Amino acid sequence: MLHLRHAFAVAAATLVLVRATLGAQGHGDHAARTHDGLRLSADVTALAVRAAHAPEGRTLAEGYLAQPVVMGHAPLLGGRLRLTGTLNLEGLTLRRGQLTPGIYGEGFVDRRHPHTFVHEAMLSAGARPRGGPLRLSAAAGKGFVPFGTDDPMLRPFAFFPVNHHLAQLLERYVAIGGARVPGLMVEGARFGGDEPQGPWAWPRASRFGEGWSARATAFPLELARGAAGAGALELSASRAEVPSPEDPTGAGLDQRKSSLAARWASGGDAAPVTESRRGGYALLEWARTDERRGARRAFRYQSVLAEAALWRPVGAGPLGGTLSVAARAERTGRPEEERMLDPFRTVRPHFEQNVLGITEWRILTVAAALRPPAGRLRVAPFVEAARARPRALVRPSVFEPSLFYRAPVQWTVAAGVRFGVGRPHARMGRYGVASDHR
């Protein structure tokens, strides 16, 4: 059961930060938008989800407050340091998880797990030696590891992709170094291997430094145009070694992770879920995770994902707004871990003998949202639908998807409203030279 002190701490922190957000908005747009000053935002998504052929063939209809977050950037020591933070309240509002086709991770399956209360708290500093084109940065704290692609929170879908734990590494103690010149950026990191054990858990400090990652990103249009910040096209390659993420004691399988991605956005670093101008966004990614015991590879999980969104102004005056449409196609293999009496939970810690098979999920997701004209409060109603076809990737398999779900195809639909005040992060998990603070 959630301890009362957690609830009081969450409530107090949220009230203080939301009040500060509204105060910044009330004193003018500059306070909320400048890259040099304090910037705060608060967001939440109210949604209803209906899933047909959920585990054991059930049809479920549920409602949630998902992604209740407070985000902020704050300059410290006269701007020499920058604090990037996100508080996530899903430990209060999403304790049983959100119905999401194919999703898994942190002991949840077919439900997205709640994220930790301190989702990120990172300090970063940068330098430009002799005023030249080279920019250097260092960042440390709890947050995202420089690996793979952007966290799905600020991508244009309510349903997270199945590959969330293949394509991102999040909520770890991490130290990052970065360097950037026009057209190229490299990042390297050391971090702790263990995944969160729950929304109120902290990583084990004793495991910091066990894992490493490296990511190289090319910006072809920056080179073509000869101006930093001009590139809307990114090409990236990542590698990471993650010791025993599923077992906090370090006794579990190690992971070797790889990622290749291409991203394009007509508005540069604009977040597709908050964009109000005419534009577009596209992402193509490949990710692979090998689980290993020493030199022996035990399992391999691979993913290919493509998604795109377009947004356009529609109407005029108070009846106008910005209409966005988005689509995503994904093919991802996930481990079928031994489930508990609750069919949405898996045995933790995770060992080789708990894996009953590998299921490949082929999912097509479409979404549409309408955002009214810009104002103090952001309100964006949306609808979303996903068609999923799971199949056993390795045979013979103890786990047969068509028998467990009682059908070869699943349909999941959602409708809701995104509420927000202030401008959130442009992109999640970007620090130093990789951040939106140029």
Side-chain angles (χ1 to χ4, degrees), residues 13-14 17-18 21 40-45 65-72 85-90 93 112 115-120 151 153-154 160 171 378 419-421 424-425 428:
T14 303
L17 287 171
V18 170
T21 301
L40 292 168
S41 68
D43 292 81
V44 66
T45 299
L65 290 178
Q67 299 180 31
V69 296
V70 178
M71 300 180 180
T86 299
L87 301 180
N88 190 309
L89 310 184
E90 288 182 332
T93 68
R112 180 179 67 77
H115 289 99
T116 60
F117 172 51
V118 180
H119 196 48
E120 60 178 350
D151 187 78
M153 183 180 295
L154 290 179
F160 276 39
E171 299 179 327
R378 290 180 279 108
F419 298 94
V421 60
H425 300 341
M428 289 294 296

Side-chain angles (χ1 to χ4, degrees), residues 54-90:
E56 301 175 344
R58 291 181 289 177
T59 296
L60 300 175
E62 299 178 353
Y64 320 96
L65 290 178
Q67 299 180 31
V69 296
V70 178
M71 300 180 180
H73 294 276
L76 302 174
L77 300 179
R80 290 186 290 274
L81 293 178
R82 176 165 290 275
L83 172 65
T84 300
T86 299
L87 301 180
N88 190 309
L89 310 184
E90 288 182 332

Side-chain angles (χ1 to χ4, degrees), residues 250-273:
L253 294 171
D254 300 332
Q255 292 185 352
R256 178 175 297 169
K257 303 174 77 70
S258 304
S259 169
L260 296 172
R263 182 186 189 271
W264 172 84
S266 64
D269 282 346
V273 297

Side-chain angles (χ1 to χ4, degrees), residues 165-226:
H165 283 265
L166 302 184
Q168 289 90 38
L169 285 166
L170 62 155
E171 299 179 327
R172 263 107 166 158
Y173 289 139
V174 60
I176 305 170
R180 183 167 181 169
V181 295
L184 180 66
M185 176 176 68
V186 293
E187 302 161 272
R190 300 293 301 210
F191 58 92
D194 54 323
E195 284 187 341
Q197 297 301 297
W200 309 105
W202 287 84
R204 292 195 176 193
S206 61
R207 295 194 57 186
F208 173 75
E210 292 180 342
W212 65 266
S213 74
R215 179 169 62 193
T217 306
F219 305 91
L221 297 183
E222 276 190 4
L223 290 176
R225 298 174 186 175

Side-chain angles (χ1 to χ4, degrees), residues 192-436:
D194 54 323
E195 284 187 341
Q197 297 301 297
W200 309 105
W202 287 84
R204 292 195 176 193
S206 61
R207 295 194 57 186
F208 173 75
E210 292 180 342
W212 65 266
S213 74
R215 179 169 62 193
T217 306
F219 305 91
L221 297 183
E222 276 190 4
L223 290 176
R225 298 174 186 175
L233 175 65
E234 301 176 10
L235 306 175
S236 67
S238 309
R239 188 67 180 266
E241 297 278 350
V242 191
S244 183
E246 301 279 357
D247 187 340
T249 67
L253 294 171
D254 300 332
Q255 292 185 352
R256 178 175 297 169
K257 303 174 77 70
S258 304
S259 169
L260 296 172
R263 182 186 189 271
W264 172 84
S266 64
D269 282 346
V273 297
T274 60
E275 185 53 65
S276 60
R277 299 169 295 182
R278 178 185 296 267
Y281 152 87
L283 173 69
L284 177 64
E285 70 176 344
W286 167 85
R288 183 175 70 195
T289 294
D290 289 339
E291 290 193 323
R292 309 178 69 88
R293 177 72 69 185
R296 177 181 65 88
R297 189 181 79 198
F299 305 103
R300 169 169 285 181
Y301 313 111
Q302 296 193 98
S303 174
V304 177
L305 179 149
E307 67 184 35
L310 291 173
W311 48 89
R312 294 287 186 272
V314 294
L319 299 179
T322 301
L323 176 66
S324 67
V325 292
R328 180 175 68 208
E330 178 185 12
R331 185 178 70 186
T332 297
R334 81 170 188 196
E336 287 301 340
E337 301 170 6
E338 182 181 353
R339 305 195 187 209
M340 304 174 68
L341 292 178
D342 180 348
F344 294 98
R345 301 301 300 270
T346 60
V347 173
R348 298 269 284 180
H350 157 75
F351 294 103
E352 299 102 306
Q353 58 267 31
N354 300 130
V355 178
L356 307 179
I358 299 176
T359 300
E360 181 185 77
W361 287 80
R362 299 188 178 193
I363 305 178
L364 177 63
T365 305
V366 294
L370 178 64
R371 180 180 171 186
R376 186 173 181 180
L377 178 67
R378 290 180 279 108
V379 181
F382 68 91
V383 293
E384 191 165 324
R387 180 186 186 273
R389 180 182 288 274
R391 70 179 183 93
L393 194 60
V394 178
R395 294 185 183 278
S397 175
V398 175
F399 184 88
E400 179 53 55
S402 62
L403 296 179
F404 182 73
Y405 296 106
R406 315 284 171 86
V409 174
Q410 299 178 19
W411 283 94
T412 309
V413 296
V417 181
R418 294 186 178 96
F419 298 94
V421 60
R423 186 168 179 82
H425 300 341
R427 299 171 66 176
M428 289 294 296
R430 301 277 167 162
Y431 315 111
V433 294
S435 75
D436 58 319

